[in-house]
Amino acid sequence: MTESLVDELAPCRARSEPILRPGNTNCGGCGMSIGLNMLSRAVGDTPIQMVIPACCGIVTAGAFPSSAYGAPVVASTFASSAAVATGLAHVARLNGERTRVVCWAGDGGTYDIGLATLSAAAERDEDILYICYDNEIYGNTGGQRSSATPLGAVTTTTPAGKSIGKKDILSILVAHRVPYAASVSLAHPEDALRKLRRGLDTRGFAFLHILSPCPTGWKSEPSEGIELIRLAIRSGLFPVVEFAGSGPPAVAVEPDFSREALARYFELQGRFGKAEIDLDEVAASIRDTWARLGRPMPPGDER
Amino acid sequence: MTVELLSANHSAATAATLAGRANRTGRGFGGGVYPITPQTECIELLCKQEFEKGHVVRVESEHSAMAVCMGFSQAGARSFTASSSNGLAYMVENVFAAGLYRLPIVMMAVNRTLGPPWNIWVDHGDTLLLRDSGWMQLYCEDNQEVLDSILLAYRLAEDPRVLLPAMVCQDAFVLSHTLMQTDVPSQEQVDGFLPPLDLPHRLTDRPVTVGGLDSPHGTEAHRKQHAEAMARVPAVYAECQDAFEEVFGRRPADRVVPYRMEDADVALVSMGTTAATVRVAVDRLREQGVRAGGVRVRMFRPFPERALAEALAGCERVGILDRDISLGHGGVLWSESRGAVPRDALLQGYVLGLGGGDIRPEHIESLFGDLRARDAAAEPEIVEVAG
Ligand SMILES: Cc1ncc(C[n+]2csc(CCOP(=O)(O)OP(=O)(O)O)c2C)c(N)n1
Ligand code: SF4
C-alpha cells in the first residue's frame, strides 16, 4: 500500500546542512551531484540515514575521518546496501523513530552485483527508499560496462561498443509490486523533487531510477549533462514514468519521439563514437519500450 | 533455570532468544537468517520466537544475512545469525566487514565440510577459513557449552574494551543434532548478565561516513586498534567467566582446557568434540600407566598461545589433531600451535576426521601409540579412518 503524505509540490523544506557538502570529489558536471542536491532539498528536516555501497558515491565522501556527506552514512559492501538498510530501518521502527533509510547506489550495485539483495528487500517490502543513480557504467573502477550500459557504448571492457542493450531495471522492480517506483528526470527539478519526496514519504519500499550523466564515462561535455537528459527524454529513450499501485504508469514528461533529438543524443557523447549506431534499430527498441509501458507510440510517429 | 532436552542448534537459538529479549530495554534485537544443513533447526526455532522489541529477517542469502545483522548492529541493536560451511564461504565478504566495523554481532557456526562434493558432516575448515576476519572464535565441546558460550560471547563482544564480533562454533551432527540435557537460564538471569547494549559508534543523526575511504596510515592505525582490542580479550574473558559464574552458578571453560596434563609427557591438542574423545583415550592410557594428557583449544581467536604453552610445558611429545586441512601446509591448528610447543619436544601433526570421518577413542589411542613410538617428527599426516 502506498501512503503518500505529500502529493503536491510543497515549498522546499529547509535542511540545516546540505547532504552534499563542499569538498567532495565528484567530477565536474557529475549527475550524481545534481541528484544529491535534489535529494537534500526533498529531504528537508526528515531525519535520514544513508547506505552507500562501493561506487563513485562513496568516494564522494572523501577519506576518514572527514565526510563530504551532511548526513549519517554507512559505506556498505558492494552488493549489500539494501540488506544493511533493512537492518537500520527495522531498528528505527522498533524504536519509534521516523528516520528514513535511503540507499544511494550506482547501476553496478543495483543492476548487477546487488540485484538479488535489492530484489529480496523489495519482495519483503522493507521500509526503505532505494535510489539508483544510473551513469550506465562502472565509474569508480574506471569505466567498465554494466548491464545498464546501452547498446553501442564504448567502455574499457567493451572497446568496440556494447553489443547488447540495457536491462530494464524499473520493470524488474515494478514486477515486485513495490508500493512506489519511478524514473526521475534531473532536467525537470519539479519532477525530481516531487518523486524524491514521494519516495521519502512512502511507507514501505520505494525505488527511484535516476539517469545520471557522467562526463568522464560518457565522454561528454560537463556542461551538457542536463541537455543530454532532455534529449534522452524527448526522444523516448528514457521514459520518465511513475508506478504507484496497479494500472498503467503516469508519464511525467511526454516525449515527442524526435529523431533529431535521438541523433543529437548520440552525437554529443564520445562513448558512441566507435560503433555505427543504427538509429532505426534504436527507434524500434524505443517503440518496444513504450508498447511495454502500455503507451504505444502512434504509428509513424518517429520524427 | 530449567533443564531441557535440547540439540545444540536449539541451545543456540534459545540462547540467542534470551540475549535478544534482554536488549528490549535497549535498542532491540534482530538479524538476517538463511538456512543450511546442519544449522537450519537453529534459525527455524528462532523464527518461531516472539520478540517484544525485535525482528528476525528472512533474507535471500548468507551474504545478506550478515549485511542485515550489520544494519541492526550499526543502529545499536543486538544481532545474531547462524550459518555453516558453504553458507559461511558465501558470507565471507560481510563477515570481514562486520569485523572491520567492530560490530559486536554473535554468530553460531556449525562446522561442516566445504563442498563440492557435497558433504554435510563435521569439519572445521569452514570457520578456520574466517580466522583472519577480525572475529573472536570459540569452539564448543557440548550443547551446554554452546548455549553458555553464546551468552558469554555477547557479554564479551559488547564490552567497550573489546567491541568485536564473536563466532560460536560447534560440530555438525555430533552436537548440532544430538540432544543433551541442557540447563536453560531464566530471562531474569540473562537480563542480569547482559545489560542493554550501548554501542559507542552506533549511527545517530551525526553526519559521519562509517567505513568509507581510509588512507594507508589510517588503516595502519585502525588495524592496530583492532589488534589491541583482540589483545584485551583474554583479561575481559576471565572477567566474563567470573560474572557468568556469579549469575548462573557454573563457570564457562577457560580458553585452553588441559586434561590430566600435570605430569603428562605425551599429549594431544584438539578442538571441538574431538577433545572429549581424547579424554576417553587419555583415561584408558592412564590405566595402563602411560602419562598421557589432552589439551583443548576452546578459543581460537584471539589465539591463546601463552595459555597453550603453559598447558604443554614439560611435555616431551605433542600431537596436534586437526579436523581441517590447509592444503599445502598441514592442518591449521598445527601450524598455529607450533610456537606454543616446548622447543625440545617432538611435535607431530595429524589431520583426521575430515568430512566427518568418525573419530573414536581407539583411533585416538593409536595416534598416542604412533606419537610415542616416533623417533622424529615428520610432515603432518593425513589419517584415514576406514568405515
Ligand atoms: C565485491 C566487489 N567486487 C568488486 C568491487 C570493485 N568495484 C567497486 S565500485 C565498482 C563499480 C561501481 O559501479 P556502479 O555501481 O555503477 O557505480 P559508479 O562507480 O559508476 O558510481 C566495482 C566493480 C568491489 N568493491 N566489491
Ligand atoms: S566518474 Fe562519472 S559518476 Fe563518477 S564522479 Fe565522475 S562523473 Fe560522477
Side-chain angles (χ1 to χ4, degrees):
Chain A
M1 274 295 296
T2 309
E3 247 176 82
S4 175
L5 303 178
V6 179
D7 249 334
E8 267 121 57
L9 188 63
C12 278
R13 294 171 282 190
R15 194 170 200 279
S16 54
E17 181 138 48
I19 286 177
L20 183 66
R21 299 193 282 201
N24 69 78
T25 56
N26 290 358
C27 310
C30 175
M32 195 204 354
S33 304
I34 305 171
L36 285 167
N37 283 326
M38 298 261 190
L39 178 64
S40 197
R41 284 163 156 253
V43 163
D45 56 4
T46 306
I48 63 162
Q49 293 177 336
M50 295 176 73
V51 183
I52 307 181
C55 60
C56 280
I58 201 61
V59 180
T60 304
F64 177 87
S66 63
S67 175
Y69 283 106
V73 173
V74 175
S76 80
T77 52
F78 198 10
S80 300
S81 67
V84 172
T86 295
L88 293 176
H90 276 267
V91 180
R93 295 301 161 267
L94 286 171
N95 288 279
E97 294 159 352
R98 57 187 197 106
T99 309
R100 186 70 170 145
V101 181
V102 179
C103 292
W104 181 261
D107 45 292
T110 304
Y111 288 63
D112 293 343
I113 200 166
L115 186 62
T117 317
L118 168 61
S119 165
E123 181 254 342
R124 295 190 306 265
D125 195 18
E126 295 294 350
D127 200 2
I128 56 188
L129 167 59
Y130 189 105
I131 305 175
C132 172
Y133 70 91
D134 175 12
N135 62 2
E136 306 190 318
I137 202 166
Y138 290 179
N140 185 25
T141 39
Q144 299 76 34
R145 63 89 90 183
S146 77
S147 56
T149 302
L151 183 73
V154 171
T155 68
T156 60
T157 50
T158 53
K162 195 181 170 206
S163 61
I164 30 181
K166 187 179 171 83
K167 194 189 270 183
D168 181 359
I169 195 72
L170 198 57
S171 295
I172 293 174
L173 268 294
V174 170
H176 287 73
R177 307 195 178 174
V178 294
Y180 186 63
S183 47
V184 174
S185 166
L186 292 181
H188 299 80
E190 70 293 354
D191 174 70
L193 279 175
R194 194 179 58 78
K195 286 173 178 164
L196 285 162
R197 282 186 188 161
R198 185 143 183 197
L200 287 161
D201 293 339
T202 298
R203 283 211 216 126
F205 198 89
F207 178 81
L208 295 178
H209 177 217
I210 301 181
L211 181 64
S212 183
C214 169
T216 310
W218 294 9
K219 312 274 179 277
S220 56
E221 283 301 318
S223 59
E224 274 170 354
I226 296 298
E227 178 59 13
L228 285 170
I229 296 174
R230 287 204 191 101
L231 293 170
I233 294 170
R234 246 189 91 192
S235 62
L237 201 57
F238 179 60
V240 184
V241 291
E242 184 173 35
F243 295 83
S246 55
V251 179
V253 189
E254 292 288 346
D256 65 6
F257 302 105
S258 154
R259 257 309 167 98
E260 194 195 324
L262 193 61
R264 187 93 185 113
Y265 180 77
F266 290 111
E267 275 163 28
L268 287 178
Q269 301 176 62
R271 63 173 168 157
F272 293 110
K274 282 260 175 64
E276 282 290 310
I277 301 287
D278 179 347
L279 287 188
D280 288 334
E281 198 184 325
V282 179
S285 122
I286 291 174
R287 176 176 291 283
D288 177 56
T289 300
W290 285 87
R292 283 167 195 268
L293 284 169
R295 291 282 306 261
M297 271 162 68
D301 196 359
E302 282 156 32
R303 283 166 281 172
Chain B
M1 188 102 61
T2 56
V3 177
E4 293 180 32
L5 201 56
L6 294 179
S7 67
N9 275 339
H10 283 183
S11 292
T14 303
T17 303
L18 288 162
R21 289 184 181 143
N23 207 38
R24 65 193 176 283
T25 51
R27 289 185 59 76
F29 169 76
V33 295
Y34 195 77
I36 181 169
T37 304
Q39 151 270 33
T40 307
E41 292 75 10
C42 172
I43 61 140
E44 284 175 339
L45 185 59
L46 197 65
C47 287
K48 285 189 192 141
Q49 306 300 320
E50 300 258 326
F51 292 95
E52 193 181 313
K53 194 174 182 181
H55 292 147
V56 177
V57 183
R58 286 76 159 167
V59 294
E60 84 298 347
S61 73
E62 289 84 358
H63 194 270
S64 288
M66 185 50 66
V68 167
C69 288
M70 290 195 280
F72 270 95
S73 193
Q74 305 266 23
R78 189 165 280 157
S79 188
F80 177 83
T81 192
S83 192
S84 179
S85 183
N86 284 55
L88 292 167
Y90 197 69
M91 195 192 274
V92 170
E93 185 193 31
N94 281 339
V95 173
F96 273 74
L100 296 170
Y101 287 125
R102 305 273 307 268
L103 298 173
I105 297 165
V106 172
M107 171 159 69
M108 188 278 280
V110 186
N111 287 115
R112 169 190 147 178
T113 311
L114 282 161
W118 301 110
N119 174 331
I120 56 175
W121 309 103
V122 54
D123 188 302
H124 294 159
D126 54 357
T127 51
L128 290 174
L129 162 78
L130 300 167
R131 66 181 172 171
D132 300 329
S133 61
W135 286 57
M136 298 180 280
Q137 288 195 338
L138 291 165
Y139 290 77
C140 299
E141 196 193 73
D142 61 41
N143 297 2
Q144 185 71 56
E145 194 177 347
V146 171
L147 186 146
D148 292 355
S149 294
I150 285 173
L151 298 176
L152 183 102
Y154 276 112
R155 172 108 179 198
L156 181 60
E158 294 174 2
D159 189 289
R161 293 163 293 176
V162 175
L163 293 174
L164 296 170
M167 217 175 283
V168 174
C169 311
Q170 49 123 331
D171 289 355
F173 297 100
V174 182
L175 297 186
S176 68
H177 286 65
T178 303
L179 305 194
M180 265 183 65
Q181 277 194 7
T182 309
D183 281 342
V184 178
S186 67
Q187 189 63 54
E188 294 67 43
Q189 284 176 305
V190 176
D191 290 351
F193 181 64
L194 292 176
L197 167 61
D198 181 14
L199 188 74
H201 56 298
R202 83 171 170 86
L203 213 61
T204 59
D205 290 338
R206 206 161 65 87
V208 290
T209 294
V210 183
L213 306 183
D214 209 355
S215 66
H217 180 61
T219 302
E220 285 167 349
H222 286 135
R223 289 293 186 283
K224 186 158 183 263
Q225 288 172 352
H226 202 149
E228 285 164 358
M230 276 285 182
R232 287 191 288 270
V233 168
V236 180
Y237 182 82
E239 287 177 29
C240 292
Q241 284 176 296
D242 294 342
F244 192 100
E245 191 172 11
E246 206 165 293
V247 175
F248 302 107
R250 57 176 177 273
R251 189 170 180 81
D254 289 342
R255 293 173 300 127
V256 169
V257 189
Y259 183 70
R260 302 186 84 164
M261 285 300 292
E262 309 75 37
D263 62 342
D265 51 27
V266 57
L268 290 178
V269 180
S270 61
M271 296 204 297
T273 55
T274 311
T277 314
V278 169
R279 281 206 305 274
V280 177
V282 165
D283 287 346
R284 287 186 189 172
L285 289 169
R286 286 272 172 176
E287 274 165 31
Q288 297 159 27
V290 179
R291 289 200 300 195
V295 180
R296 173 162 78 100
V297 175
R298 160 166 154 79
M299 179 177 277
F300 187 80
R301 275 292 179 275
F303 193 74
E305 177 153 314
R306 193 119 57 91
L308 183 59
E310 278 163 22
L312 293 172
C315 200
E316 287 156 22
R317 287 166 184 268
V318 177
I320 313 280
L321 307 187
D322 267 286
R323 198 163 209 172
D324 65 87
I325 186 158
S326 172
L327 292 161
H329 196 54
V332 177
L333 184 60
W334 167 78
S335 64
E336 298 238 354
S337 305
R338 290 161 88 177
V341 174
R343 265 176 208 285
D344 46 358
L346 186 151
L347 165 66
Q348 178 62 41
Y350 300 98
V351 171
L352 82 164
L354 291 185
D358 207 8
I359 303 178
R360 294 168 189 239
E362 42 279 24
H363 302 136
I364 303 288
E365 279 178 80
S366 75
L367 292 186
F368 267 117
D370 179 89
L371 185 59
R372 293 173 62 220
R374 272 182 189 272
D375 296 328
E379 287 297 297
E381 197 172 298
I382 299 175
V383 183
E384 287 177 58
V385 181

